[in-house]
Amino acid sequence: MSHSIKLRYAKLCYQYLVNNILTFLLVPIMATILIQSNPNEVLNFYKSLSLTSVHLVCSLFLIIYVTTCYIMSRPRTIYLVDYACFRPPLTCRIPFASFMEHARLVLPTEPKSVRFQMKILERSGLSEETALPPAMHYIPPTPTMDLAREEAELVIFSAMDSLLEKTGLKPKDIDVLVVNCSLFSPTPSLSAMVINKYKLRSNIKSFNLSGMGCSAGVISIDLARDILQLYPNSNAVVISTEILTPNGYLGKERSMLLTNCLFRMGGAAILLSNRKSDRGRAKYRLVHIVRTHKGADDKSFRCVQQQEDPEGKVGINLCIDLMQVAGEALKSNITAIGPLVLPASEQLLFLLTIICRKLFKSKMKPYIPDFKLAFEHFCIHAGGRAVIDELQNNLQLSAEHVEASRMTLYRFGNTSSSLLWYEMSYIEAKGRMKKGDRIWQIAFGSGFKCNSAVWKCNRTIKLPVDDHNPWADCIDRYPVDIPDVVRL
């Protein structure tokens, strides 16, 4: 038997022992008590208490009261009934050749900036099937308010129509509406636009989030969860999108051209419910949400920022320290979520390494917990190929664990806050989502934020998936091999 196999078996034995330590301790103790106990002694002890019927009634009332208080004070279970993702029409597809032709026409006197965008596109991990809104296909691009509203209506209404059809939900039955879009915040708001389109109730609780970055999808789920805790027998629709029409950068600053190469059309609509009647048909159950905000640090606050370049052209500036800031935010988020999800064996190893490093000034590397023991599926924010690579290395994940993220980036590009739902759809379309599976969604956003959502699969997702799944027409082609560089 090789040394590596011996180590693997030793680790499995250690995990089994530590994770079941209470069982190993309590079973012998309880067995000893039962063996040594005498039924007569128990009966004599009961008689010595001299309990009357009044005592028994009061005790029973106390038990019922405590049980009732416990049940009433427990957080309501939040179910994800279903969700739908926007599938861009073929007319919005942006092949590499078209993208580069537009770049040359927009920046005819800046060949260096054009070549820079070409290099980014070659290494981006995107395919030629990603989509941009119609206004960005015009030459020159036409970022008008009317066209931005048209894009918002196309994406949001398409996702919303799919959700209503999948779930059978009637618009009048929606109790809570949360819409998040970071960069496009018109008046009336996007949430008001949805209310007007579907004629929702006048007493609906609606919220519109903006400026929250790519992690706003998890933030919206968190907000909807908190509201559903206050109102029993209710549901909530969450819509996550990013409207690109008014946010294309037309300047030459390299740090602001990156977003042009990575961001693409996308959106998702999610139905949450706290109704017990939805338990049977719900796909998932929300287990944890952990949010980490590093905005108190100046470098973190400024690493992703909307600003003007020296020529007065507005765009999103991505700082060179972005990956370092994201790593620090992820570390803080992992520290918070680890105790909630990791088995005792991993927590103990992590604690021991910290003690050794602090007390004995040891130079040993910090122990990275094995999150594969806590989750079956990982939906990593596919902000770019470098983000996926970094998280795969830091969390020691396999190629299959990050397959959904890589394929989503390849097929749809960076769709911002809705990315995680395209990744979840990929796992479902592959037939990998089984009852009891645990899913970890990790999202990053400006500010700087790292937010996590943990779901548990409520029922096995059967194949074939319905036509509303964004991968329904192409899943048989995936996964594909993505070259490090695509020569243009």
Side-chain angles (χ1 to χ4, degrees):
M1 187 180 294
S2 66
H3 181 65
S4 60
I5 295 178
K6 290 180 180 178
L7 285 177
R8 186 176 66 182
Y9 278 114
K11 186 174 182 179
L12 288 173
C13 292
Y14 161 77
Q15 291 169 355
Y16 183 78
L17 176 64
V18 175
N19 294 339
N20 297 279
I21 189 67
L22 289 178
T23 303
F24 291 132
L25 291 177
L26 291 177
V27 168
I29 294 173
M30 294 300 295
T32 303
I33 293 174
L34 289 174
I35 292 172
Q36 294 182 354
S37 62
N38 189 333
N40 293 327
E41 292 179 359
V42 177
L43 186 60
N44 292 332
F45 174 74
Y46 173 75
K47 291 179 178 180
S48 66
L49 295 176
S50 301
L51 295 176
T52 65
S53 58
V54 175
H55 292 129
L56 293 175
V57 170
C58 291
S59 299
L60 182 61
F61 175 78
L62 180 61
I63 292 172
I64 295 174
Y65 176 77
V66 171
T67 303
T68 303
C69 290
Y70 171 73
I71 293 174
M72 295 295 292
S73 62
R74 277 192 312 169
R76 292 187 174 90
T77 302
I78 305 301
Y79 298 104
L80 192 163
V81 179
D82 213 330
Y83 63 97
C85 296
F86 168 71
R87 187 189 301 164
L90 293 176
T91 53
C92 293
R93 190 172 70 90
I94 182 76
F96 294 155
S98 299
F99 184 93
M100 293 313 305
E101 180 185 12
H102 283 219
R104 294 186 186 97
L105 293 172
V106 171
L107 299 172
T109 61
E110 299 293 337
K112 290 184 178 180
S113 296
V114 173
R115 284 197 297 271
F116 173 75
Q117 291 183 81
M118 184 173 68
K119 289 181 179 179
I120 294 298
L121 202 61
E122 289 176 337
R123 296 163 174 79
S124 64
L126 273 66
S127 72
E128 302 202 61
E129 296 183 83
T130 61
L132 286 174
M136 300 186 77
H137 288 259
Y138 299 158
I139 301 176
T142 311
T144 65
M145 177 65 77
D146 287 342
L147 290 175
R149 287 187 182 275
E150 288 181 12
E151 180 194 351
E153 291 173 357
L154 172 63
V155 175
I156 294 175
F157 294 166
S158 296
M160 190 70 176
D161 289 343
S162 296
L163 180 69
L164 295 177
E165 185 176 341
K166 289 176 73 173
T167 60
L169 179 69
K170 297 179 181 179
K172 292 290 185 182
D173 293 333
I174 298 174
D175 301 303
V176 180
L177 175 66
V178 182
V179 179
N180 70 265
C181 179
S182 187
L183 295 175
F184 182 57
S185 185
T187 299
S189 66
L190 295 178
S191 60
M193 182 183 77
V194 174
I195 292 172
N196 176 258
K197 166 69 176 179
Y198 295 97
K199 310 306 177 187
L200 305 185
R201 300 197 317 259
S202 60
N203 64 341
I204 189 171
K205 299 163 185 63
S206 67
F207 303 84
N208 197 95
L209 305 182
S210 64
M212 305 295 284
C214 297
S215 67
V218 176
I219 296 172
S220 296
I221 296 292
D222 189 28
L223 175 60
R225 178 192 64 171
D226 290 344
I227 298 168
L228 290 176
Q229 293 298 332
L230 299 175
Y231 298 94
N233 200 35
S234 300
N235 61 44
V237 170
V238 175
I239 300 174
S240 296
T241 188
E242 191 58 75
I243 305 305
L244 302 181
T245 294
N247 296 301
Y249 176 61
L250 305 178
K252 61 182 181 181
E253 294 296 317
R254 293 191 174 188
S255 61
M256 301 171 75
L257 285 168
L258 287 169
T259 54
N260 290 354
C261 303
L262 297 175
F263 282 86
R264 296 294 186 266
M265 287 180 77
I270 304 99
L271 174 60
L272 303 177
S273 173
N274 61 16
R275 295 171 179 167
K276 293 182 179 179
S277 58
D278 287 327
R279 178 180 179 179
R281 67 172 183 144
K283 281 187 173 181
Y284 304 95
R285 175 173 61 85
L286 182 59
V287 183
H288 300 293
I289 288 183
V290 175
R291 294 168 54 182
T292 302
H293 204 308
K294 308 292 285 186
D297 176 66
D298 290 342
K299 184 171 68 173
S300 299
F301 175 72
R302 295 189 177 93
C303 72
V304 179
Q305 194 167 35
Q306 186 178 28
Q307 61 186 51
E308 293 180 336
D309 67 9
E311 297 179 355
K313 295 177 180 177
V314 178
I316 303 297
N317 180 43
L318 303 181
C319 181
I320 195 172
D321 297 323
L322 177 58
M323 292 307 300
Q324 179 186 349
V325 169
E328 293 172 355
L330 176 65
K331 183 179 178 181
S332 298
N333 193 264
I334 285 176
T335 303
I337 200 173
L340 300 176
V341 299
L342 285 171
S345 57
E346 291 300 299
Q347 295 191 46
L348 181 60
L349 283 176
F350 184 69
L351 178 62
L352 290 176
T353 55
I354 292 178
I355 293 174
C356 290
R357 285 166 59 86
K358 296 293 184 180
L359 295 183
F360 305 109
K361 306 297 181 182
S362 173
K363 294 183 179 180
M364 64 185 299
K365 293 182 179 179
Y367 179 72
I368 300 175
D370 187 359
F371 280 93
K372 296 187 292 294
L373 298 174
F375 304 105
E376 283 73 35
H377 306 289
F378 296 81
C379 295
I380 297 170
H381 176 71
R385 170 179 270 173
V387 176
I388 301 173
D389 291 341
E390 191 71 19
L391 265 71
Q392 182 180 5
N393 293 332
N394 289 343
L395 298 177
Q396 300 175 352
L397 303 178
S398 68
E400 184 174 331
H401 286 128
V402 297
E403 182 183 310
S405 300
R406 291 194 189 280
M407 296 305 110
T408 298
L409 180 65
Y410 181 80
R411 171 63 181 85
F412 295 100
N414 183 348
T415 63
S416 190
S417 57
S418 62
L419 258 177
L420 302 176
W421 303 107
Y422 286 91
E423 296 174 19
M424 194 100 93
S425 297
Y426 179 89
I427 299 171
E428 291 182 5
K430 278 295 180 182
R432 298 172 184 170
M433 196 68 76
K434 309 297 182 184
K435 182 178 180 179
D437 283 359
R438 298 155 297 179
I439 307 98
W440 185 12
Q441 294 181 328
I442 314 171
F444 297 97
S446 58
F448 191 85
K449 300 179 285 292
C450 177
N451 299 325
S452 292
V454 177
W455 303 88
K456 190 168 185 177
C457 187
N458 205 42
R459 57 181 173 87
T460 299
I461 310 300
K462 298 180 180 179
L463 294 179
V465 292
D466 58 67
D467 292 337
H468 295 291
N469 188 298
W471 299 90
D473 62 341
C474 62
I475 190 62
D476 294 337
R477 305 201 312 262
Y478 292 90
V480 299
D481 180 57
I482 304 175
D484 293 334
V485 180
V486 178
R487 294 299 179 187
L488 301 181

